[in-house]
Amino acid sequence: MAGTDSTRVPVEEPGPAIILVEPQLGENIGMAARAMWNCGLTDLRLVRPRGEFPNRYAIAAASGADMLIERARLFDSTAEAIADLHHVFATTARHRDMLKPIETPRSLGTTLRTLIGRGEACGVLFGKERTGLSNEDAVLAQTLVNVPLNPAYSSLNIAQAVLLIGYEWFQAGDTTPPREMPLGHTRPATAAELQGFYDQLDEALEAAQFYRTEEMRPVMWRNVRNIFQRAGLTEQEVRTLRGLVSRLAGSRK
Amino acid sequence: MAGTDSTRVPVEEPGPAIILVEPQLGENIGMAARAMWNCGLTDLRLVRPRGEFPNRYAIAAASGADMLIERARLFDSTAEAIADLHHVFATTARHRDMLKPIETPRSLGTTLRTLIGRGEACGVLFGKERTGLSNEDAVLAQTLVNVPLNPAYSSLNIAQAVLLIGYEWFQAGDTTPPREMPLGHTRPATAAELQGFYDQLDEALEAAQFYRTEEMRPVMWRNVRNIFQRAGLTEQEVRTLRGLVSRLAGSRK
């Protein structure tokens, strides 16, 4: 799905730091940066990325999010990368034999909003491709995060994991209504406008002998009207339908 | 994050069909299949995919989800691809000038669970790379779906869009607690076990002259105890701490 980048400079809204520990492929770093910026996150930290950094694969894969690559901070150890953080979360795919609470990404989104809303710095650790975080790195966090997925196939790449965590962060602060229908320039029809349409339709159906018997007429008419009641008609749509009925009925004569 | 594929044959649990309209790159189809199977979805439908299908890029990119590629159904038109469905949803990145309700992916997850729970077939349409669905295809749906993301950078690739929709489907039916701490072989310490540790610690602190004055002692001791109360100690941890205090206090003499 294509979108336009309306600004190149990210707004400095506080959000969790995303910390990639020993990422192997520049392309994965770039795609993680894209996923971050999709969700409004800008604080990218890298611990011992393989090879030179920044590298052209990371920048190319980052596409419109390449300023996150330029601003990414590099660290020699995970401990240094998290030194300023008040709350550290470690993503994990597998069971860890350690006594640490585990949150779902959905819960994490709300938790992060609460903590960051209080001015407390947070970060989320992601391990290297294939093996994830070492236990030594996981222990540096207070809380683990595991993404509930199909137990038969739960492997995600780094960018996908970053996207899901970032997505939950974004949604936890987003106010888009779950369901809505923007009406643009029109408005819902009033009851009077609807009744005008129903009266016209009822007459046209009677003239066209739609009602087989007088007995069945009320039920048949009620069924027809319920169809249009469910449509949530706008005043523009009522006018369209009235024209439609008029033309259909007119052509029949 | 690496995971193991414990079964190659997907379980036939009903879920929404994922319909890709005119996907251009085999690699994107393969990655979409992976995202589907991550979320337990198996019904992949393709409308006029570019080039030969299946192609080796799709199969390679699908990795452990390649059986979805083998079982994918091909159609010449979107209308044919959705013919058996009761409810069709169309993903869109941009505002469409048409009167259709728009849902968030989160709302869609719950909606899909409700409809499919009633035995009604559902499908979600995804358009081609870069331009998305045409208006002619979007109108075939009853409802649009838009992913709330950073307005400055909202472009997702097909596989990411499929992952987010699939993720919301999966979470809407998942019962993982938002937060938990599996205890494994141990159990929480009883109040008596905790008290035993506190008594030992209190004595050791007194002997080590930790309490500067008798006046301050209750407050200082309360602060120390609250630290351990918050830790939610297991009985194994209590034993560890008692040994730790014992050794520290013993070495001091």
Side-chain angles (χ1 to χ4, degrees):
Chain A
M1 297 191 276
T4 46
D5 302 349
S6 60
T7 173
R8 296 274 311 156
V9 179
V11 175
E12 291 297 339
E13 186 190 63
I18 299 297
I19 306 156
L20 309 186
V21 182
E22 294 188 308
Q24 302 296 296
L25 298 178
E27 183 184 3
N28 288 341
I29 298 174
M31 289 176 62
R34 283 195 62 165
M36 283 175 67
W37 189 221
N38 275 138
C39 304
L41 298 175
T42 57
D43 187 349
L44 173 62
R45 307 182 187 189
L46 306 171
V47 180
R48 297 191 304 276
R50 193 178 71 98
E52 285 245 345
F53 188 87
N55 70 54
R56 55 197 174 94
Y57 296 107
I59 292 169
S63 189
D66 52 330
M67 69 290 196
L68 264 63
I69 301 291
E70 289 161 25
R71 295 154 45 121
R73 286 188 280 164
L74 272 68
F75 298 90
D76 289 325
S77 70
T78 306
E80 287 168 277
I82 63 172
D84 62 317
L85 301 176
H86 301 114
H87 305 278
V88 181
F89 301 83
T91 55
T92 184
R94 51 191 172 88
H95 173 72
R96 303 272 176 161
D97 192 20
M98 58 175 85
L99 287 174
K100 271 205 200 304
I102 303 177
E103 273 193 81
T104 58
R106 181 138 315 168
S107 177
L108 176 66
T110 309
T111 297
L112 289 172
R113 288 284 173 179
T114 301
L115 297 174
I116 287 173
R118 294 204 298 244
E120 297 174 17
C122 301
V124 187
L125 298 172
F126 296 80
K128 68 163 80 164
E129 293 90 332
R130 289 203 327 109
T131 53
L133 290 170
S134 66
N135 278 335
E136 288 68 39
D137 281 335
V139 84
L140 297 176
Q142 286 88 21
T143 308
L144 302 178
V145 184
N146 178 259
V147 186
L149 289 170
N150 181 3
Y153 193 69
S154 59
S155 70
L156 293 174
N157 63 43
I158 295 174
Q160 287 174 316
V162 170
L163 178 65
L164 290 175
I165 269 49
Y167 169 79
E168 288 288 6
W169 155 260
F170 191 90
Q171 301 317 310
D174 184 67
T175 54
T176 304
R179 194 178 158 96
E180 63 173 344
M181 189 167 81
L183 293 185
H185 300 294
T186 185
R187 56 159 178 81
T190 61
E193 287 162 342
L194 287 170
Q195 195 57 50
F197 165 59
Y198 293 145
D199 290 343
Q200 178 191 354
L201 179 58
D202 189 26
E203 282 180 41
L205 291 177
E206 181 183 25
Q209 296 174 333
F210 173 73
Y211 302 115
R212 287 184 229 116
T213 69
E214 269 307 303
E215 255 175 2
M216 292 191 68
R217 179 173 179 165
V219 174
M220 291 178 76
W221 171 235
R222 193 168 66 227
N223 289 343
V224 169
R225 198 158 75 170
N226 276 332
I227 293 169
F228 292 102
Q229 286 290 90
R230 282 210 317 279
L233 297 171
T234 65
E235 68 84 27
Q236 194 178 59
E237 288 173 329
V238 166
R239 285 188 281 115
T240 299
L241 286 171
R242 293 197 69 164
L244 182 152
V245 171
S246 184
R247 180 134 308 260
L248 278 181
S251 68
R252 198 182 51 76
K253 297 187 181 81
Chain B
M1 293 188 281
T4 45
D5 300 353
S6 59
T7 174
R8 298 271 315 155
V9 178
V11 174
E12 292 297 339
E13 186 189 61
I18 299 297
I19 306 155
L20 309 185
V21 182
E22 294 187 308
Q24 300 297 295
L25 299 177
E27 183 184 2
N28 288 340
I29 298 173
M31 289 178 62
R34 283 194 63 163
M36 284 175 66
W37 189 221
N38 275 137
C39 305
L41 298 174
T42 57
D43 186 350
L44 174 62
R45 307 182 187 190
L46 306 172
V47 179
R48 298 189 305 276
R50 194 178 70 97
E52 286 243 346
F53 187 88
N55 71 54
R56 55 197 175 93
Y57 296 106
I59 293 168
S63 188
D66 51 331
M67 69 289 193
L68 263 63
I69 301 291
E70 290 161 23
R71 294 153 44 121
R73 286 189 279 164
L74 272 67
F75 298 90
D76 288 323
S77 70
T78 307
E80 287 167 278
I82 64 172
D84 63 316
L85 302 177
H86 300 112
H87 305 278
V88 182
F89 301 84
T91 56
T92 184
R94 54 192 170 87
H95 172 72
R96 303 272 178 161
D97 192 19
M98 57 176 83
L99 286 174
K100 270 204 199 307
I102 303 177
E103 272 193 83
T104 58
R106 181 139 315 171
S107 177
L108 177 64
T110 310
T111 297
L112 288 171
R113 288 284 173 179
T114 301
L115 297 175
I116 287 173
R118 293 206 297 244
E120 298 173 15
C122 302
V124 187
L125 298 171
F126 296 81
K128 68 161 82 163
E129 295 89 333
R130 288 206 325 109
T131 53
L133 291 169
S134 65
N135 278 333
E136 289 66 41
D137 281 336
V139 85
L140 297 176
Q142 285 84 24
T143 308
L144 302 179
V145 184
N146 178 260
V147 188
L149 289 171
N150 181 5
Y153 193 69
S154 58
S155 67
L156 293 175
N157 63 43
I158 296 174
Q160 287 175 315
V162 170
L163 178 64
L164 291 175
I165 268 54
Y167 169 80
E168 288 287 7
W169 155 260
F170 190 91
Q171 302 316 310
D174 183 67
T175 55
T176 304
R179 193 177 160 98
E180 63 172 343
M181 190 167 81
L183 294 186
H185 300 293
T186 185
R187 56 164 178 78
T190 62
E193 286 163 344
L194 287 170
Q195 195 58 50
F197 164 59
Y198 293 145
D199 289 344
Q200 178 191 351
L201 179 59
D202 189 25
E203 281 180 41
L205 291 176
E206 181 180 26
Q209 295 173 332
F210 173 73
Y211 302 115
R212 289 186 226 115
T213 68
E214 268 308 301
E215 256 176 1
M216 293 191 66
R217 178 172 181 167
V219 175
M220 292 178 74
W221 172 236
R222 194 167 67 223
N223 290 344
V224 168
R225 199 158 75 170
N226 275 333
I227 292 170
F228 293 102
Q229 286 291 90
R230 282 211 316 279
L233 297 171
T234 65
E235 70 83 25
Q236 192 178 60
E237 287 172 330
V238 166
R239 285 188 281 116
T240 298
L241 285 171
R242 294 198 71 164
L244 182 153
V245 171
S246 183
R247 179 133 308 261
L248 279 179
S251 69
R252 198 177 53 76
K253 298 187 181 81

